[in-house]
Amino acid sequence: MSANKGRIKIVHIYPREMSIYGDLGNTRALASRLRWHGYEPVVQQHHPGNDFPTDAHLVLGGGGQDSGQARVEDDLAHNADVLRALAADGTPMLMICGMYQLFGNAFITVQGERLPGIGILDVTTQGNAKRMIGPVVLRTAYGDVVGYENHSGSTKLAPGQQPFGTVRSGMGNNGTDATEGAVTGNVFGSYLHGPLLPANPRFADALIKLAVERALCALFVPGLIDDEIADQARTRQVRRLVRR
Amino acid sequence: LAVAAGKAARAASRLRGGGSALPGLVVETVDPRFLSNALADLARGVVVVTGTNGKTTTTKMLVAILREHGLTVFTNPTGSNFTRGVISSMLAEIPLSGRLRADIAVLELDEAHALKFASSVKPTHSLLLNVARDQLDRFAEIDHTAKLLADLAEQTTTGVVLNIDDSFVSRIAGRVPDGVTVTYFGVDPSIADRLPELQEADVRFEDEFTPPRPSDADGLLKPHDERSFEVRFGQTERVGPLVLKQRGLAAMINATAAVTTAKALLAKEFRQSGAVAALERVEPPFGRGEVIDADGQPLELVLVKNPAGFTVALGTYGNAPVTTMVAINDNYADGRDVSWLYDVSFESLREKGVALTSGVRAYDMALRLKYDDVAVAEVEPDLGVALERFLTAYRNEPKRIFCTYTAMMALRRDLATRYGLANFGEDPA
């Protein structure tokens, strides 16, 4: 597919500090799928201390260790206004695990300390002694979504905040209310690694559509992609995990 | 009673052809003090080998060197590296008195179980290999894994051997109690540029860490070419040149760790020629680069568990591409989260493609390869069916299988039946 339907800039924020569970796979998946659809992906990494690329068309973030989170806090606070403006302008973003928590209002540690987030998603996370770990199946606006969660934070949605999906198998935001993740406008937060996008191409293409239509002011024209392998990977997980 | 009960369970589980940990579980339940009792009388102490990658190979090498020096060594050769696995392998050798007859024990332990083990038996020596992302569903974070190793070092009574090049490991020196010797192994400064082949760097940060200066007791790896190398101690002392049966830089650094530890343990008794002879004879452990004769063609079985290990394995075999199968399971011992496959680059497989992906996550592996533009000829989740097809369809060519732990166990059992190999856990040396 050589036709170039336009250039799309993906910004992966904090890939060194906040990408320990394969979340780089989301960036790979979007770049590959953009190419397969006939667009030209450009991937830029944002590291703490650098100027934030305000011309981003898609912003991705992942999960890290506590030490990684500590290393990005200052930079995130410094760029909070830029990110909030991009979000308000309709830029699609996908924040996984640790970055999902930091996109919320706050993280309350086990000791009761309140660490502020940047408040794009109306969620608050409480630190727990126990981790929520295991494979997950969600029902979402993009069909069944599969992934793997591994978090100690228990996240509560504020009244009116939409979740990303409903838990069919696994724990989700907190293990009690069957919600998983959060969506505000075109900003998505989720705990799902896996990584999330490769095995869930319908959701990946929804992000691409949002990015393309905002960036190029033209309708998204998808290419023909054979997703048989991805569909097999996903439906097999659904069959293994969901009891009928 | 515990020994008798465990022996009975061992006999029963061998009849079933079952796993190696069950008899240990029986003993652990019947007599929780079994371990400290069994290991109480060993004159030369108890050595624990742990870290993310290379435990099984390094343990095997260290044991071979010590035996070459005339010591009677107890070890857990099955790669069953939880405490229960150690107890299980003891049951074969232990008299009903419950006291092991050996000069020294060399035990390979999983990072979390090493600490559990130390709570009942303080190791006299520990060899700490490296820290990398591995099975994050179990250890949660590498910072946590590094802490487990540091806690183990604190429990060690006589000597600790540390990887000088892995900052997560070498900085543990500051946690070693007074009076306990610290020895380092690592690569010679002349090949420092090859360190990325041995450890992943992408999740580490540029810390204000200055590596310690090696002393004359510390062993440094100096390769001569792809196969031959020596281990240097100070300005003049050398072990080698020697050539291992197992290929690759990772095997060489494991040998360096084993030689350095053996030298620290044996002191004046250590013989350079003995170490070389022992290392040159060591066969790769089951599934760790083991070469099986499959209908007259070599079949390599390569265990992969985490991004660093898979990257090292692809680097080791990358310059000799052969027909390849990849088998990925997601049981507890494999790591249940397969996200890590996206932190490995598979470009070296692109030219030749992959013949088959298999295992419970066969389709996830095929999907991962697709995103690296590696062609996959066939996806077959059933391991037995996949192996049959791989062996018949590619009968007249050299083959290689990369596999996770439980996939390796299943494939190895199948291959043992087909080609009359020794069974797992009956490793001759």
Side-chain angles (χ1 to χ4, degrees), chain B residues 296-313:
Chain B
Q297 290 290 340
L299 168 66
E300 284 167 315
L301 212 50
V302 184
L303 176 69
V304 291
K305 304 187 293 183
N306 49 50
F310 212 151
T311 302
V312 167

Side-chain angles (χ1 to χ4, degrees), chain A residues 17 20-22 25 28-29 33 65-67 71 133 135 148 150 193-195 198 226 229 232 236-237 240, chain B residues 133 136-137 140-143 202 205 207 330 336-337 339 342-343 360-361 363 367-368 370-372 381:
Chain A
E17 294 80 5
I20 128 166
Y21 299 90
R28 285 184 198 269
R33 296 190 73 83
Q65 315 192 77
D66 292 347
S67 60
R71 283 166 200 265
I133 305 183
Y148 194 94
N150 186 347
H193 304 290
D226 179 1
I229 300 277
Q232 283 279 359
R236 278 166 183 267
Q237 279 298 88
R240 278 174 90 192
Chain B
R133 282 179 293 174
L136 292 163
D137 55 309
E141 302 190 337
I142 59 168
D143 290 342
D202 56 337
F205 312 111
D207 284 319
D330 67 354
R336 295 174 62 207
D337 183 3
S339 301
Y342 283 82
D343 287 323
V360 178
R361 303 305 287 270
Y363 281 96
L367 182 62
R368 171 68 195 94
K370 179 181 169 174
Y371 276 109
D372 264 358

Side-chain angles (χ1 to χ4, degrees), chain A:
Chain A
M1 237 170 288
S2 57
N4 186 345
K5 301 177 189 169
R7 195 169 148 276
I8 299 297
K9 183 166 188 174
I10 302 171
V11 174
H12 185 164
I13 54 177
Y14 314 130
R16 274 203 306 256
E17 294 80 5
M18 301 296 286
S19 182
I20 128 166
Y21 299 90
D23 297 322
L24 176 65
N26 291 330
T27 310
R28 285 184 198 269
L30 288 176
S32 293
R33 296 190 73 83
L34 276 164
R35 218 168 26 249
W36 297 338
H37 283 305
Y39 295 86
E40 182 199 347
V42 176
V43 177
Q44 181 174 344
Q45 302 190 332
H46 171 71
H47 300 294
N50 295 358
D51 289 336
F52 195 89
T54 51
D55 56 347
H57 299 137
L58 241 169
V59 184
L60 298 173
Q65 315 192 77
D66 292 347
S67 60
Q69 293 205 13
R71 283 166 200 265
V72 306
E73 269 164 16
D74 288 351
D75 186 80
L76 188 64
H78 178 73
N79 289 304
D81 286 339
V82 177
L83 283 163
R84 280 192 283 256
L86 283 169
D89 193 45
T91 311
M93 304 188 187
L94 175 62
M95 296 297 140
I96 304 293
C97 198
M99 286 307 300
Y100 165 41
Q101 295 173 348
L102 291 173
F103 263 52
N105 295 317
F107 185 94
I108 319 288
T109 66
V110 180
Q111 291 79 23
E113 191 190 352
R114 185 186 169 90
L115 309 169
I118 63 173
I120 291 178
L121 297 168
D122 201 0
V123 305
T124 302
T125 303
Q126 171 74 52
N128 269 333
K130 193 178 175 304
R131 284 188 93 84
M132 293 179 244
I133 305 183
V136 179
V137 179
L138 306 179
R139 180 181 294 114
T140 74
Y142 314 93
D144 282 335
V145 162
V146 297
Y148 194 94
E149 64 185 331
N150 186 347
H151 54 107
S152 59
S154 172
T155 299
K156 279 270 191 292
L157 308 179
Q161 171 66 57
Q162 291 300 307
F164 170 55
T166 306
V167 177
R168 297 188 70 192
S169 175
M171 302 296 277
N173 278 330
N174 46 55
T176 55
D177 65 10
T179 66
E180 205 293 317
V183 188
T184 296
N186 295 337
V187 178
F188 297 79
S190 172
Y191 276 115
L192 300 201
H193 304 290
L196 179 56
L197 296 181
N200 300 293
R202 213 176 128 191
F203 177 49
D205 283 355
L207 292 172
I208 287 175
K209 182 176 191 299
L210 290 168
V212 163
E213 296 187 348
R214 177 179 167 273
L216 308 175
C217 300
L219 278 180
F220 170 56
V221 185
L224 268 179
I225 300 180
D226 179 1
D227 280 322
E228 167 66 17
I229 300 277
D231 293 343
Q232 283 279 359
R234 183 181 63 262
T235 52
R236 278 166 183 267
Q237 279 298 88
V238 174
R239 272 205 301 273
R240 278 174 90 192
L241 297 167
V242 178
R243 280 181 211 152
R244 292 172 193 282

Side-chain angles (χ1 to χ4, degrees), chain B residues 218-238:
Chain B
D218 303 337
L220 299 179
L221 166 65
K222 170 76 179 169
H224 297 303
D225 54 42
E226 279 300 301
R227 299 302 308 272
S228 170
F229 67 100
E230 64 184 25
V231 181
R232 301 181 159 192
F233 293 88
Q235 290 302 312
T236 52
E237 213 178 332
R238 305 283 180 264

Side-chain angles (χ1 to χ4, degrees), chain B residues 144-357:
Chain B
H144 177 63
T145 309
K147 187 181 175 306
L148 291 176
L149 296 193
D151 290 349
L152 180 70
E154 278 186 346
Q155 310 275 318
T156 305
T157 59
T158 307
V160 174
V161 181
L162 303 174
N163 183 338
I164 201 167
D165 302 309
D166 185 330
S167 63
F168 278 52
V169 175
S170 60
R171 73 158 70 96
I172 289 172
R175 298 273 304 273
V176 172
D178 288 344
V180 174
T181 319
V182 174
T183 313
Y184 295 101
F185 73 94
V187 304
D188 189 81
S190 63
I191 64 147
D193 60 322
R194 293 190 65 185
L195 272 174
E197 295 174 47
L198 294 171
Q199 62 190 32
E200 54 171 3
D202 56 337
V203 294
R204 297 172 180 242
F205 312 111
E206 293 82 26
D207 284 319
E208 55 307 320
F209 181 77
T210 326
R213 291 177 72 86
S215 79
D216 289 357
D218 303 337
L220 299 179
L221 166 65
K222 170 76 179 169
H224 297 303
D225 54 42
E226 279 300 301
R227 299 302 308 272
S228 170
F229 67 100
E230 64 184 25
V231 181
R232 301 181 159 192
F233 293 88
Q235 290 302 312
T236 52
E237 213 178 332
R238 305 283 180 264
V239 173
L242 71 137
V243 172
L244 299 171
K245 293 197 172 169
Q246 201 173 351
R247 287 197 278 161
L249 193 64
M252 292 183 193
I253 196 72
N254 291 336
T256 304
V259 165
T260 307
T261 307
K263 196 162 177 291
L265 286 164
L266 293 163
K268 290 203 169 69
E269 291 168 64
F270 180 82
R271 287 177 296 109
Q272 193 275 134
S273 57
V276 169
L279 286 171
E280 293 202 312
R281 272 203 315 271
V282 172
E283 295 288 343
F286 287 155
R288 277 87 168 171
E290 180 188 17
V291 184
I292 292 161
D293 181 340
D295 309 313
Q297 290 290 340
L299 168 66
E300 284 167 315
L301 212 50
V302 184
L303 176 69
V304 291
K305 304 187 293 183
N306 49 50
F310 212 151
T311 302
V312 167
L314 288 169
T316 301
Y317 300 102
N319 40 14
V322 300
T323 303
T324 299
M325 169 168 148
V326 187
I328 305 291
N329 276 352
D330 67 354
N331 298 310
Y332 180 74
D334 302 295
R336 295 174 62 207
D337 183 3
V338 296
S339 301
W340 63 275
L341 294 171
Y342 283 82
D343 287 323
V344 180
S345 171
F346 292 95
E347 285 166 19
S348 63
L349 298 175
R350 196 177 285 159
E351 192 187 326
K352 183 106 184 162
V354 166
L356 269 154
T357 62

